[in-house]
Amino acid sequence: MTSTEEVESISEKSERLLNISMGPQHPSTHGVFRMKAVLDGETVVKLTPVFGYLHRNHEKLAERTSYLGNMPYTDRLDYFCSLTNNWAYALSVERLAGIEVPERAEYLRVITAELTRLQNHLAFLGFLLNDMGVWATVLIYGFREREKILDLFESLTGARMMCNYMRFGGCRCDVPDGWVEEAKRITDELPGVLDELEQLLTDNEIVVARTQGVGTVPGRKAINAGLTGPVLRASGVNYDVRKVDSYGVYDRFDFSVPLGSVGDCYDRFMLRLLEMRQSLNILKAALNELPSGPIINPKAKNRNLRPPAGEAYGRIESPKGELGFYLVSDKSGTPYRYRVRPPSLVNLTLLEDMCVGQKVADVVVILGSIDIILGEVDR
């Protein structure tokens, strides 16, 4: 039985606890997201994430839509990274239907994917610093460079964000005249931008104080929770789907996988800077080696596609982690089963572990360091 002293102690502690709701319109939640936190003073003792405000029935809609008709829906998952969404879905359908992809199309997919990674990480740095309440300068710098990449996307696909560019067996259209040269120019300029950002941020006393030792995740716990992408690698786990699966033509490029050692917010922040350096190495090689030839397999069916009965899972290393699509075909023109493995949702599973014991002011910084987007969390 509980003693009178223990009852009084529990009652006293309960009176000290404060329940607060952060969201669902909190400016630092990167979408419509809510966190229910329990505080002891300013220290977080419990935190519950609340999802679902942006649910759009994506997966069930896809089971009533043609394979090709689903491609624009994938743009709306991680709406910052529509081109990598397209690639993961196209890869799954190609495995399901046994469709080959021409070499030039594979290179274009790598180029657009790495440009997507760059613009995502540039925006991430700005948002994270904004979440700290430091200053908006980094956000402006990041968006300045991101705009140049979005201009490339617009001239290639006709859209800046909802690109709808990939097709089964290749890409929708080839690059216009001068596009490769402009991409090379932007790629050549970006190392100088990254130098400035590193000089501005890496040893900044506010950044260091707000991120080092905050929201730490040990490597073993990150593996057990299924974390992927920069959040996993920041904990020192060497796992990158580009290396593990060598999908597309990634095995032709020489790039390394940056790793953290502590797994805190600082490592997650630094990892994005280091990953952009590697993306630039891949881009320079891919743009220089871009072969001629068709950009889509002429034998591939896109309209009225009816894959043979079976199942397939295709995955890529999206800017936020492993993005996968699981498809089941019953020989009809629509997927019998369609499921998305979104990195933002899976990477959120350890949010409470990262926040408990930290100050309430650190919660938005920890959330920002994960780099979620609610379009793929809720679907």
Side-chain angles (χ1 to χ4, degrees), residues 110-310:
V110 168
I111 290 167
T112 53
E114 293 310 313
L115 286 170
T116 298
R117 199 177 316 278
L118 284 169
Q119 61 90 20
N120 178 85
H121 288 358
L122 285 165
F124 161 83
L125 293 176
F127 286 137
L128 183 62
L129 269 293
N130 208 40
D131 289 348
M132 289 181 205
V134 182
W135 62 91
T137 307
V138 179
L139 183 61
I140 294 169
Y141 284 176
F143 267 70
R144 179 191 65 189
E145 302 307 317
R146 179 174 178 265
E147 283 298 302
K148 298 173 185 177
I149 296 174
L150 295 189
D151 286 344
L152 282 176
F153 291 167
E154 184 177 20
S155 63
L156 174 61
T157 70
R160 299 173 70 78
M161 291 182 68
M162 309 301 166
C163 296
N164 185 23
Y165 179 61
M166 306 295 179
R167 290 295 181 266
F168 315 132
C171 303
R172 175 161 53 87
C173 57
D174 207 343
V175 294
D177 292 341
W179 192 92
V180 172
E181 288 70 26
E182 180 64 13
K184 286 181 178 179
R185 185 186 67 79
I186 292 171
T187 303
D188 289 340
E189 291 176 354
L190 272 172
V193 175
L194 297 183
D195 289 342
E196 289 182 353
L197 289 173
E198 286 191 17
Q199 185 177 4
L200 181 65
L201 300 175
T202 52
D203 295 323
N204 182 282
E205 61 181 303
I206 299 175
V207 173
V208 169
R210 293 298 307 277
T211 58
Q212 285 191 352
V214 175
T216 302
V217 179
R220 178 54 57 184
K221 180 177 280 191
I223 294 170
N224 292 340
L227 306 191
T228 56
V231 181
L232 175 67
R233 293 189 289 274
S235 297
V237 182
N238 190 351
Y239 189 87
D240 188 311
V241 181
R242 293 174 295 177
K243 290 284 190 181
V244 174
D245 284 3
S246 295
Y247 62 92
V249 287
Y250 273 113
D251 56 347
R252 302 187 186 184
F253 305 113
D254 183 20
F255 68 99
S256 60
V257 179
L259 300 176
S261 57
V262 179
D264 56 7
C265 288
Y266 187 81
D267 276 1
R268 293 192 280 274
F269 147 73
M270 277 300 301
L271 207 74
R272 268 67 173 218
L273 277 171
L274 298 174
E275 280 196 357
M276 283 192 279
R277 301 278 190 188
Q278 299 303 317
S279 289
L280 288 173
N281 292 339
I282 296 171
L283 271 172
K284 288 176 182 177
L287 288 167
N288 288 329
E289 298 168 13
L290 181 63
S292 58
I295 50 97
I296 193 165
N297 186 338
K299 295 181 180 179
K301 285 186 177 180
N302 275 275
R303 295 181 184 276
N304 303 317
L305 176 66
R306 295 175 181 270

Side-chain angles (χ1 to χ4, degrees), residues 308-336:
E311 61 182 1
Y313 177 70
R315 62 177 186 167
I316 68 162
E317 184 68 33
S318 85
K320 295 177 174 67
E322 180 185 326
L323 172 63
F325 286 80
Y326 172 70
L327 303 173
V328 178
S329 170
D330 60 357
K331 296 185 180 180
S332 69
T334 62
Y336 177 73

